[in-house]
Amino acid sequence: MSSYQSNEIKLINTSLIDPHPDNPRKNIGDVTDLAASIKTNGLLTPLSIVPNGSRYRVIAGHRRLAACKQAGIGAVPCFVLQLDPLQQLEAMVTENCQREQLTVLEEADAIQGMLDLGATTASVAHRLGRSGAYVRDRAKAASIGNEVRATRDDFSQLTIGQLVAIARYDGQPDRQKKLAQAAGTSNFDYILRNIERDDRDRQWVESVAALLVESDNGINLIPDPPYSNPEWRFIGCMSPSTSTPEEAIEKIRDQNPAAVSIHTVSQQVYLWTRRDKTADAEKEARRAAEQAERDARRHALEEYAATSADKRMAWLHANLYAIKRAQLIETAAKLGLLQIIDPFPGGLIDALTSWNEHSGSRKEYEKISGITAEDAPTAARISLQTADWPMEAVTILAARFEWFIDPTDWTVVNDTSRRIPGYYQILQDLGYTPADDETSHLDQLIAAISEADQDEENNQ
C-alpha cells in the first residue's frame, strides 16, 4: 500500500463505504471480536478507500469496515486514494499478500485480474516482490474453470503444485475433475503419472502414424487391424516403451511386413503378413488376435508393475527417515525373514559383496536412498556400521525385494508373488497407502494364491 498511500485523513460515514467487488479475499470471516475491540478502543488504523461516484469503495480494511458497521460506528478515519482500476487491484493484492490472508486460488484469480487489466508478468512480480515463475504459476491456476472448481467444496485449499498440474489439462475437464477429486490423496501422483504416460503413448502413436503416411517410406499402412480377415496373419507389435518413433519405423522396415496398422486403444503398432489360403486360416487369425490382446494385457501389466514399484520406492525415499528406530529394527527383521536371505558370518555387511559382481537391486537402492547405484556398496557398508543401521537395513532389504518383483509375479503364483502381500503389509505398517489400482491387483493376487493353495490341498 505504501506506493499509493495518502497523507490526508478524512472522516467518512460507514454508510457511504462499500466493499470492493474485486477484493481478492472472498471470505472476510467472523469479525465479532474485532467489532468489540473497535467499539471499546475505536478504529486505530484508518481505512484506505477510493471514490466511486457519490460513494466509496474499500481498498484496504474490508474486515475493519465490516467490524465498524457491526459495532454501529458512524464516521471512520480514511485515506482517500485516487487509483485507476489496475492500481486498485494491485493495491488490494499487495495488502492481502502481506497479511497472508489469501488462499492460493484467490491470489491466482487476483493476479490474473491484474494481467487482464494490462499489467505485465514482470510488473506484477515486481509489485508483489515475487518471481516471474511465481506469477506465471498462479496465472495458470486461475485458468481452471468453475465447472472443475465445483467438483469439491475445498477446491480453494489445494496447493499451487496441484493446481498447476490440473491447469495443465485445460480443455480436458474430465481429466481435470479426476485430478481435482484425487488431490490430497495417495492417488493424485499415481493418476497424474498415468495421464502423463497416456499422453506420451498417444504422442508416440501419432508420431509413428505421421511417419507411416509419408509416401516414400515403402510401408503399407492399413486403416484397421484385420483380426478376422483370413488373408492376414498377425506377426508382432511395437509399443511406445520399445523405441522412439524413428527407431520404430526402422524396425518395421527391417521386418518388412506386408502391412501395419495402428491400434489406438492399446497404443500399439501391429505388424501383419499375408496368409496362404489354407484350411486353418480362420483359426490362425483368431489365434493372432488373441495373442495381440495378451500382448496388450502384458504391456498394461508391465506399465502397472513399473508404476506401482516407483510409487512404493518414492514413498520409502520420502518417509523412511521419519520412522522411529524401534520400528525400523522390527521392519528390517520382517523383511529379512520374508526374503530368507542366505546367512553370512559377517551378517549384512558381508552379504553386500555380491553387489561388486552384479547390478542386482542397486538401481532400486538408488531410487529409495537417493545414493547412486555406483556408490551403493560403499555407502551401505558405512551406514550399516553406524547408529543409523536400521534405516539402512530396511533400505537394502526393500531394494532387494523390489528387484525381485517381476510384472508376471502379479498374475502367476510363485515364491515371489506369495511374498508380495506380506511386503505390502510391512509397508502399510510403516504408513504407506496403496493406490486403488494396487489394491485391486493385490486382491486378485491374494485370490489366486488362495485358489492355488486350495487346489494343492484337494490334490493331496
Side-chain angles (χ1 to χ4, degrees):
M1 283 295 300
S2 59
S3 297
Y4 302 127
Q5 192 63 70
S6 168
N7 292 323
E8 183 181 357
I9 297 178
K10 294 183 179 180
L11 287 175
I12 307 291
N13 197 295
T14 56
S15 64
L16 298 176
I17 307 174
D18 303 312
H20 202 294
D22 294 328
N23 181 30
R25 191 179 185 209
K26 303 308 179 186
N27 182 6
I28 63 172
D30 185 10
V31 296
T32 301
D33 291 343
L34 181 57
S37 174
I38 291 175
K39 193 169 185 178
T40 301
N41 304 308
L43 181 62
L44 302 180
T45 304
L47 306 180
S48 293
I49 61 177
V50 292
N52 181 38
S54 60
R55 301 180 63 79
Y56 299 89
R57 286 177 173 173
V58 177
I59 294 298
H62 283 83
R63 282 177 53 81
R64 282 171 276 156
L65 174 63
C68 286
K69 289 185 175 182
Q70 184 173 313
I73 304 297
V76 293
C78 300
F79 293 114
V80 181
L81 312 177
Q82 301 298 324
L83 306 176
D84 63 32
L86 176 56
Q87 289 174 326
Q88 292 176 31
L89 187 52
E90 284 180 342
M92 286 187 289
V93 172
T94 304
E95 195 265 346
N96 277 288
C97 288
Q98 288 173 347
R99 294 171 179 267
E100 298 182 343
Q101 293 178 329
L102 297 180
T103 67
V104 172
L105 196 58
E106 286 174 337
E107 185 182 12
D109 289 338
I111 286 175
Q112 185 58 54
M114 294 164 66
L115 297 172
D116 291 341
L117 287 172
T120 64
T121 297
S123 66
V124 174
H126 175 73
R127 183 65 187 169
L128 300 181
R130 302 289 189 176
S131 67
Y134 183 95
V135 173
R136 286 190 292 273
D137 281 348
R138 277 147 184 81
K140 291 175 186 175
S143 71
I144 301 173
N146 291 332
E147 180 185 358
V148 177
R149 297 186 186 196
T151 55
R152 51 192 296 171
D153 294 336
D154 61 346
F155 189 88
S156 63
Q157 304 302 316
L158 300 187
T159 67
I160 185 60
Q162 293 165 344
L163 291 172
V164 169
I166 294 170
R168 190 185 310 159
Y169 298 98
D170 186 33
Q172 303 177 57
D174 289 343
R175 280 182 165 182
Q176 287 188 315
K177 290 177 183 178
K178 190 173 183 180
L179 284 169
Q181 290 165 355
T185 73
S186 60
N187 274 343
F188 182 81
D189 290 340
Y190 184 78
I191 292 173
L192 180 59
R193 282 195 295 270
N194 283 342
I195 290 175
E196 292 171 342
R197 185 201 66 214
D198 289 343
D199 281 348
R200 288 194 300 271
D201 290 355
R202 176 181 52 77
Q203 291 169 5
W204 182 89
V205 168
E206 290 175 354
S207 297
V208 171
L211 293 171
L212 285 171
V213 298
E214 293 180 359
S215 58
D216 59 348
N217 62 29
I219 300 174
N220 177 28
L221 175 65
I222 54 179
D224 299 304
Y227 295 126
S228 58
N229 189 335
E231 295 291 327
W232 295 96
R233 180 167 61 87
F234 175 80
I235 59 173
C237 67
M238 291 186 177
S239 303
S241 60
T242 59
S243 60
T244 66
E246 292 75 17
E247 290 171 343
I249 295 298
E250 290 304 315
K251 290 179 180 178
I252 292 172
R253 189 174 284 111
D254 290 342
Q255 295 188 43
N256 194 29
V260 299
S261 63
I262 302 293
H263 196 284
T264 55
V265 176
S266 62
Q267 304 286 13
Q268 292 176 315
V269 176
Y270 288 176
L271 310 183
W272 305 88
T273 186
R274 287 199 175 274
R275 178 191 298 278
D276 292 336
K277 294 183 178 180
T278 61
D280 64 343
E282 186 175 349
K283 179 180 178 181
E284 185 64 24
R286 287 197 302 270
R287 184 181 303 158
E290 290 169 358
Q291 182 60 49
E293 292 304 318
R294 284 195 295 272
D295 288 342
R297 288 195 297 271
R298 175 184 54 77
H299 175 66
L301 183 62
E302 289 173 348
E303 291 287 349
Y304 159 74
T307 301
S308 62
D310 285 344
K311 180 176 182 291
R312 292 191 301 270
M313 289 185 283
W315 184 90
L316 287 166
H317 175 72
N319 293 278
L320 268 187
Y321 73 93
I323 304 298
K324 292 183 178 179
R325 177 185 175 85
Q327 192 173 11
L328 287 172
I329 294 173
E330 179 183 352
T331 302
K334 288 179 179 178
L335 286 170
L337 290 172
L338 183 66
Q339 299 181 50
I340 314 297
I341 61 175
D342 294 331
F344 288 83
L348 287 168
I349 298 175
D350 284 350
L352 290 173
T353 55
S354 62
W355 275 12
N356 293 327
E357 300 166 10
H358 61 80
S359 61
S361 78
R362 279 200 200 180
K363 292 182 179 179
E364 289 74 13
Y365 177 90
E366 177 176 341
K367 291 181 179 180
I368 296 173
S369 68
I371 297 171
T372 63
E374 180 181 2
D375 296 332
T378 301
R381 286 194 186 95
I382 293 173
S383 295
L384 285 172
Q385 298 176 74
T386 69
D388 291 330
W389 73 265
M391 186 173 78
E392 187 64 23
V394 171
T395 299
I396 294 169
L397 292 168
R400 178 179 169 86
F401 199 86
E402 293 287 352
W403 177 58
F404 270 108
I405 297 178
D406 187 84
T408 57
D409 294 330
W410 285 95
T411 56
V412 177
V413 177
N414 55 37
D415 287 342
T416 300
S417 64
R418 286 180 178 275
R419 291 180 170 89
I420 290 177
Y423 180 50
Y424 265 84
Q425 187 58 59
I426 291 170
L427 293 181
Q428 287 176 265
D429 288 343
L430 292 176
Y432 177 83
T433 303
D436 293 343
D437 205 13
E438 289 176 289
T439 301
S440 174
H441 279 79
L442 274 172
D443 290 342
Q444 295 175 37
L445 178 59
I446 291 171
I449 293 171
S450 298
E451 182 178 353
D453 289 344
Q454 186 62 50
D455 290 342
E456 183 176 350
E457 289 178 10
N458 294 337
N459 292 331
Q460 288 179 352

